[in-house]
Amino acid sequence: MARRKPARSVLLRRWVAVGVLALVGLLYYRPLKAYVDAKGELTQRTAAVQQLQRQKAQLEHRLGASTSLGTLAREARALGYVRPGEHLFIVKGIPQWRQRLRRSLSPHGH
């Protein structure tokens, strides 16, 4: 059996349909790519926002804990503040003193 060739108008319509589909594909490519890129960036930014929210919660917790009187007193002492009636003594050379003490307590005496 011999195969019939499709009519010219049918071939032309097929090629026009393929061309229209290609054109539609090209027209949708950029908006679709922009959408995918924006969605990826949104995912990244959402993760960053969640991390910043966790950090904020931790900092707020630390702030709440740091306003206790005991914490404030420790911080003040670390800064060199003293209570009224107390005297501040600054002791220097503690690491060297510890080395000499270790040497004098060692069994060899060095």
Side-chain angles (χ1 to χ4, degrees):
M1 228 196 291
R3 231 172 161 194
R4 261 185 36 193
K5 280 186 172 180
R8 246 183 147 180
S9 62
V10 173
L11 283 176
L12 183 64
R13 273 189 255 150
R14 285 183 186 168
W15 280 110
V16 168
V18 168
V20 167
L21 284 174
L23 180 66
V24 169
L26 286 174
L27 291 176
Y28 271 97
Y29 171 74
R30 277 196 171 159
L32 198 59
K33 183 177 181 325
Y35 171 77
V36 170
D37 291 345
K39 191 170 181 179
E41 188 173 334
L42 177 65
T43 303
Q44 290 175 348
R45 296 226 175 157
T46 301
V49 166
Q50 289 174 349
Q51 180 183 3
L52 289 171
Q53 286 174 337
R54 284 191 300 271
Q55 286 178 350
K56 180 184 175 205
Q58 289 173 347
L59 289 172
E60 285 175 344
H61 177 72
R62 283 179 54 193
L63 177 64
S66 70
T67 55
S68 70
L69 290 178
T71 305
L72 287 175
R74 273 195 307 277
E75 293 293 326
R77 290 205 179 270
L79 291 172
Y81 289 107
V82 294
R83 290 190 174 140
E86 289 183 336
H87 297 283
L88 176 64
F89 293 96
I90 298 175
V91 181
K92 295 181 180 181
I94 292 176
Q96 293 85 2
W97 171 80
R98 284 184 177 152
Q99 286 178 350
R100 286 195 306 271
L101 181 64
R102 274 192 226 110
R103 277 190 249 130
S104 68
L105 293 177
S106 70
H108 300 296
H110 292 283

